[in-house]
Amino acid sequence: MLDDRDRRLLELLQADAGISVTELSEKVALSVSACSRRIQRLEETGHIVRRIVVLDREKMGVPTTVFALIKTAHHTDEWIDAFRRVIASIPEIVEAHRLTGNHDYILKIVLPRVEHYDVIYKQIVRKIELFDVSASISMELLKSGTSIPVAYAH
């Protein structure tokens, strides 16, 4: 069971995984060793999955976001496994979700420019059969982040 200090540690680490244990311990009013033990426990229990670096997409040359909505006529385990392998092999696809409703999947694709979407589209359809693909271009980023709420954690 997590307490308020654990939740605060998780919030702080989400904001900056590179923060020192000394600084963390000051912010949550714990000794450095107690803070370090809590972080280790949060990693061991799976609350902290990994620590990452977030890159600037403009500087990395992929400022454009396209969302591809996919319909398929196939729903077998074999097809889904093949689809997973295809999308895993394309680094521009940064998120993929299976959906309810009118579409089966949505892919978040980051690109140098919108015209590059055709390259990614062709990589996908050459490797796996799809029923329909439509794409929407993000015009403006209104909210972005990797942080999730910690209040619900147990």
Side-chain angles (χ1 to χ4, degrees):
M1 195 67 150
L2 300 183
D3 62 19
D4 289 340
R5 282 191 174 137
D6 291 329
R7 287 183 180 85
R8 181 71 178 135
L9 280 170
L10 292 171
E11 284 178 336
L12 292 165
L13 285 167
Q14 281 190 108
D16 180 7
I19 189 171
S20 71
V21 176
T22 303
E23 191 174 346
L24 279 170
S25 66
E26 291 170 3
K27 291 183 183 239
V28 297
L30 287 171
S31 69
V32 172
S33 59
C35 186
S36 182
R37 283 192 302 273
R38 280 184 184 244
I39 294 168
Q40 183 177 0
R41 182 176 46 81
L42 291 166
E43 290 172 335
E44 289 169 356
T45 59
H47 289 88
I48 298 173
V49 178
R50 68 182 190 273
R51 299 184 198 193
I52 63 169
V53 172
V54 178
L55 304 177
D56 182 293
R57 287 185 40 198
E58 285 282 337
K59 290 181 180 173
M60 298 308 296
V62 286
T64 304
T65 303
V66 172
F67 294 95
L69 292 160
I70 295 173
K71 292 181 184 179
T72 181
H74 306 283
H75 299 282
T76 65
D77 289 342
E78 295 80 15
W79 185 92
I80 293 169
D81 289 342
F83 182 65
R84 285 179 199 268
R85 285 191 301 277
V86 168
I87 62 177
S89 72
I90 302 171
E92 291 87 350
I93 300 173
V94 295
E95 284 187 35
H97 300 265
R98 190 165 57 90
L99 305 173
T100 63
N102 295 329
H103 296 89
D104 296 306
Y105 300 92
I106 186 169
L107 308 178
K108 179 180 178 184
I109 306 168
V110 297
L111 303 166
R113 59 188 192 289
V114 73
E115 293 82 7
H116 193 73
Y117 170 69
D118 192 48
V119 173
I120 304 304
Y121 171 81
K122 287 176 182 174
Q123 285 180 24
I124 296 168
V125 298
R126 283 184 190 130
K127 296 176 183 175
I128 195 147
E129 183 183 347
L130 302 174
F131 178 74
D132 184 52
V133 181
S134 61
S136 295
I137 302 161
S138 173
M139 299 296 291
E140 178 184 7
L141 179 63
L142 301 176
K143 181 178 180 181
S144 178
T146 57
S147 295
I148 60 171
V150 299
Y152 306 102
H154 53 278

